[in-house]
DNA sequence: GCACAACTTGAAAACGTTTGCAAAATAAAT
DNA sequence: ATTTATTTTGCAAACGTTTTCAAGTTGTGC
C-alpha cells in the first residue's frame, strides 16, 4: 500500500513470540498433522494474542490458495441474478472463500479480458452466469484446465460443467396447467431470443399446444426480453389481437409483472379476465397481488450447487465434470383461473 | 494452485525475449518515464507476443497495489442495493479496479471478520453500504488510516467519509406535495427503525405536517421494514383505521409496492381512491402501473461518487475526507392525485 | 576537454508465505 | 544397546513482482 501501514504482524513475529521456527508456524496454520501439540498450542495463542491475519497475497504467491473465486454476471439489479448471487455468496462464505464479482453489461470484450485476468492468478475457480459469449473462453478455460461452472445456460457444448433448470419440462407443465384450466388462446411472452433457456421454454409451450391439438397462433407470441417494461408492451400488443388470449405465459416473472400492468391498465382483472403465469419465482412474485403463479427455479440453490461443484473440482482436478438439472416445480398462487365465459362483442 | 498450471509467462521471460533486464520490463509495465523508447517498444511487443499477464499477488506483495476494493453490503436481491452496486461496479471497472463483494446478512460477526481480512492485505479500500454496526469497525478503519467510504448512512460519527441523500429535505418535499394536493390524512409507512435514513424521513414527514398545522396521528404511522410484504401488511392495517388515509407516504418503493397491493386488494384504485408515494425510485417504479410517484435517490450515481471519493483517498492519503449529499428530487408519475370527495359511510 | 547534471539501466533486496530437504529427536523393533 | 522407522523441526529456496542503489551513459555549459 501507499501510506505505509503500521508494521504488519507476520508469521515470523508469531514464531518469535511462540519460540518456534516460522515454518512450524506455517504448519500449524495449515493444520499439518505432525506437529507437537504443545507448540501448536503456543502458536495459536500467539496468533490470537498478536491478532495475526494471514497475508493472502503471499500465501497464494508461494503456491498456496487464494481462496477467491470469480463470478461473472451479465448485470446486476435484476432480482433473478440477485438471487443466484445470494446462493453463491452463502455457499462461498460457509466454505471460507471470497467472491470477486465481475459484470459484463453484455459487452463481449469485458467477458474475455476478465476471464484472462482471473485465470492468471487471482482466482481459483470461475462461475459463469448465463454468459453471452461462452464459446469465447469456455474452450480456453477448458484447455487450461481451469475449474469453472456455468449456471443456467443451455449446453453450448458437451464438456462444460453446468447447473440448470428443466426449462423444457417446466414449460410443458405450465402450459398443460393452463390448458387444463380450460384455456385455448394462450399468449406467450418470449424471453431474450439468443438465450437457450428462452428457446427451450418456447419449445415446451409450443409442443404442448400441439399435443393438445390446439393450433399454434403466431400472433400470440410476442417478445418480452425478460424485462418488465418490454413485457408490458408485449402484453398491450397481445390484447389488441382479434381473438385475444385468455391466459398469458410469460417467460419470466419480470415480464409477467409487465403483463399484469398492461392487463390492469386495460381495466381487466387477474385472474378473472386473464390468467398470468410466470417463470423463475423471484421473491417478489410471492408478495405481489395477486400472488403470481409461476415456475419455480431454485435460484439461490442453483448458486449453491454451482459452488459445491466448483469447489469439488478445485479440490480434486480429476473429479468428473457434471451437468446438474434442478427441478422446477409449478407454484400455484392466485394469478391463474379458468377462463371467463366468453363475453359478447 | 494445485494441478500445476502450464508454466506461467513471467516478467523474466519477457526480459529474455526483449533482451533487457527484468527491472526494465517492470518499469515499462508501470509506465515509468525514463526508459529507452526502443526498449520500451521491444518489451511491449514481447508482452503481446507471449501473452503476458501480470501476477497481481506478486505485484501487491512487492508493495504495489492490489487494484481491488471491497464492498460490504447487508444483502443482495434488493433492487435498491443492486442499483448501488451497479454504480460502484461501473466506476470501478472504468478505473480498472476489481470488486470483492461481501454480504453480511445483517450478522454482526461477519461484518467485522470481513473488514479485518480486507484491511490486512486484500483490498486497497473499502465501501460500506448501510452498515448495521458501523461503529464496530469505523474506528479501527480510521485509526489504521485505511481508506473507506460509507454509502447511505446517516452520520454515526463526524469523521467518516459519506455519500448520502437528503433524506429529511426530500421527505419534507414529498409530504408537502401530498398536502398541497389536498390530502390531510396521510399515512406513513416507516422503514427499518434502526436506520438513520428511515428516521430522517419520518422526521421530515412529521415536521411538515406540523408546519401545515395538520395534527399528527400516531395511528397513521405503521412499520414497513423497507420491504414489500411488510408494506402490504402495514397498509392493510392503515386501511382499517377509523378515518383512513387518503394518501400513503411509504419510506421506500418496495413498501410502496406492498401498499399498492393492499389498496388494490381492497378494491380501491390508485390514485383515484388513495394516493401512494414512495422513496428511492428503483427501476421498477417507472415500469409499474400506475407509475409510482417517488423521491428519486440517484443510487447508481451514489455508488459512483463513493468510488471516486475512495479512489482519491487511496491515491492521496492526505485528501481531506468529505461528506457528499446528493439531491433527491421528487419524481411525479401517476400514483398521486387530489383526494376523492369524501364518500358517505 | 572537463565537471556536473540528468537520464538509463541492471543487480539485488525486499514482500510474507509454502514446502522440499535433511537433520534432530523420539519411538519401535531387534 | 543398537539399528531402523517415524515424528518433529529448522533452514533455505522458491513464488513474481516492485523498488532502492549504485553504476554506467549521455548531454550540457563552460
Amino acid at each position: 500500500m501507499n501510506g505505509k501501514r503500521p508494521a504488519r504482524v507476520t508469521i515470523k513475529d508469531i514464531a518469535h513470540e511462540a519460540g518456534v521456527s516460522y515454518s512450524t508456524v506455517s504448519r500449524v496454520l495449515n493444520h499439518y498433522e505432525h506437529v507437537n501439540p504443545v507448540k501448536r498450542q503456543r502458536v495459536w495463542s500467539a496468533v490470537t494474542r498478536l491478532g495475526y491475519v494471514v497475508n493472502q497475497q503471499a500465501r497464494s504467491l508461494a503456491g498456496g490458495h487464494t481462496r477467491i473465486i470469480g463470478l461473472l454476471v451479465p448485470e446486476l439489479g435484476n432480482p433473478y441474478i440477485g438471487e443466484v448471487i445470494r446462493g453463491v455468496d452463502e455457499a462461498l462464505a460457509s466454505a471460507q472463500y471470497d467472491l470477486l464479482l465481475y459484470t459484463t453489461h453484455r459487452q463481449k470484450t469485458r467477458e474475455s479480458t476478465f476471464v484472462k485476468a482471473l485465470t492468471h492468478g487471482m482466482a481459483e475457480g470461475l462461475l459463469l452466469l448465463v454468459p453471452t459469449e461462452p464459446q469465447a473462453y469456455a474452450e480456453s478455460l477448458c484447455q487450461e484446465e481451469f475449474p469453472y461452472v456455468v449456471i443456467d445456460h443451455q449446453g453450448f457444448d458437451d464438456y462444460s460443467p453446468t447447473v440448470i433448470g428443466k426449462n423444457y419440462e417446466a414449460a410443458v407443465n405450465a402450459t398443460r396447467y393452463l390448458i387444463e384450466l380450460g384455456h385455448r388462446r394462450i399468449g406467450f411472452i418470449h424471453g431474450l431470443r439468443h438465450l437457450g433457456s428462452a428457446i427451450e421454454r418456447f419449445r415446451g409451450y409450443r409442443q404442448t399446444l400441439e399435443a393438445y391439438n390446439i393450433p399454434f397462433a403466431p400472433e400470440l407470441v410476442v417478445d418480452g426480453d425478460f424485462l418488465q417494461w418490454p413485457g408490458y408492451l408485449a402484453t398491450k400488443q397481445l390484447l389488441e389481437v382479434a381473438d385475444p388470449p385468455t391466459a398469458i405465459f410469460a417467460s419470466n416473472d419480470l415480464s409477467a409483472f409487465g403483463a399484469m400492468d398492461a392487463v390492469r391498465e386495460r381495466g381487466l382483472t387477474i385472474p378473472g379476465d386473464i390468467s398470468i403465469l410466470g417463470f423463475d419465482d423471484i421473491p417478489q412474485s410471492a408478495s405481489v397481488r395477486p400472488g403470481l403463479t409461476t415456475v419455480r427455479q431454485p435460484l439461490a440453490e442453483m448458486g449453491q450447487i454451482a459452488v459445491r461443484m466448483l469447489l469439488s473440482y478445485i479440490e480434486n482436478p480429476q473429479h468428473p465434470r457434471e451437468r446438474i438439472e434442478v427441478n422446477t416445480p409449478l407454484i400455484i398462487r392466485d394469478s391463474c383461473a379458468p377462463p371467463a365465459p366468453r363475453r359478447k362483442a
Side-chain angles (χ1 to χ4, degrees), chain A:
Chain A
M1 313 285 138
N2 236 344
K4 55 179 79 72
R5 194 142 282 75
R8 275 182 139 290
V9 177
T10 81
I11 209 177
K12 294 192 180 179
D13 300 324
I14 302 296
H16 185 255
E17 177 86 4
V20 299
S21 79
Y22 62 91
S23 359
T24 300
V25 175
S26 172
R27 283 190 267 260
V28 171
L29 260 30
N30 290 287
H31 302 105
Y32 264 56
E33 42 187 348
H34 298 314
V35 58
N36 184 331
V38 177
K39 295 193 178 179
R40 182 194 305 278
Q41 176 51 44
R42 285 220 304 272
V43 168
W44 278 121
S45 84
V47 163
T48 55
R49 196 161 49 241
L50 272 53
Y52 168 81
V53 178
V54 68
N55 179 329
Q56 294 291 359
Q57 331 292 323
R59 165 173 284 180
S60 69
L61 181 57
H65 303 264
T66 61
R67 296 203 83 83
I68 291 183
I69 80 107
L71 171 61
L72 185 63
V73 303
E75 55 162 333
L76 295 162
N78 181 322
Y80 155 81
I81 292 173
E83 278 297 293
V84 177
I85 301 184
R86 196 164 62 76
V88 167
D89 182 71
E90 272 175 31
L92 241 29
S94 73
Q96 308 250 61
Y97 271 75
D98 286 338
L99 175 61
L100 212 39
L101 181 73
Y102 288 81
T103 316
T104 62
H105 300 293
R106 308 206 177 284
Q107 289 170 21
K108 299 174 185 177
T109 55
R110 295 193 61 181
E111 292 195 358
S112 63
T113 60
F114 151 75
V115 170
K116 198 170 180 181
L118 267 256
T119 56
H120 282 261
M122 197 72 92
E124 293 188 61
L126 201 46
L127 251 25
L128 305 171
L129 180 54
V130 280
T132 322
E133 290 282 298
Q135 300 81 352
Y137 39 73
E139 197 183 342
S140 87
L141 283 172
C142 196
Q143 77 181 24
E144 285 213 46
E145 299 188 357
F146 193 84
Y148 73 103
V149 173
V150 184
I151 304 175
D152 197 2
H153 193 286
Q154 287 289 343
F156 49 85
D157 55 41
D158 303 331
Y159 49 86
S160 286
T162 307
V163 46
I164 192 166
K166 297 179 177 164
N167 287 299
Y168 174 77
E169 280 185 37
V172 167
N173 275 341
T175 310
R176 182 183 298 146
Y177 172 70
L178 290 174
I179 293 173
E180 293 187 345
L181 278 179
H183 295 278
R184 287 297 174 273
R185 295 284 287 175
I186 302 176
F188 185 84
I189 302 180
H190 206 296
L192 281 173
R193 292 273 174 183
H194 63 90
L195 289 184
S197 55
I199 296 168
E200 286 294 284
R201 290 170 201 175
F202 175 64
R203 199 165 66 84
Y205 157 77
R206 179 160 185 175
Q207 295 202 353
T208 307
L209 288 186
E210 283 171 12
Y212 278 81
N213 287 316
I214 298 174
F216 169 70
E219 75 273 17
L220 291 187
V221 177
V222 286
D223 276 345
D225 294 350
F226 282 145
L227 294 173
Q228 185 159 353
W229 182 248
Y232 164 78
L233 296 176
T235 305
K236 281 180 78 157
Q237 192 181 328
L238 235 31
L239 297 177
E240 297 294 340
V241 168
D243 183 8
T246 58
I248 296 176
F249 178 13
S251 282
N252 74 341
D253 289 354
L254 237 37
S255 52
F257 294 154
M260 284 180 153
D261 293 333
V263 168
R264 286 209 188 92
E265 190 183 64
R266 190 79 168 216
L268 302 173
T269 64
I270 303 166
D273 298 310
I274 290 195
S275 293
I276 292 185
L277 195 152
F279 207 112
D280 276 352
D281 195 28
I282 58 179
Q284 265 182 74
S285 303
S287 54
V288 107
R289 298 295 102 179
L292 181 65
T293 291
T294 188
V295 172
R296 170 162 166 68
Q297 288 207 85
L299 299 168
E301 195 190 331
M302 288 166 73
Q304 292 177 329
I305 292 174
V307 167
R308 274 202 290 279
M309 289 168 66
L310 187 61
L311 295 187
S312 72
Y313 301 157
I314 291 173
E315 275 178 25
N316 172 19
Q318 316 307 332
H319 193 295
R321 278 21 181 180
E322 313 140 287
R323 175 190 166 89
I324 294 186
E325 292 201 345
V326 297
N327 282 325
T328 43
L330 185 65
I331 304 294
I332 297 177
R333 297 206 181 90
D334 318 313
S335 66
C336 295
R342 184 163 297 258
R343 303 180 189 168
K344 306 293 171 189

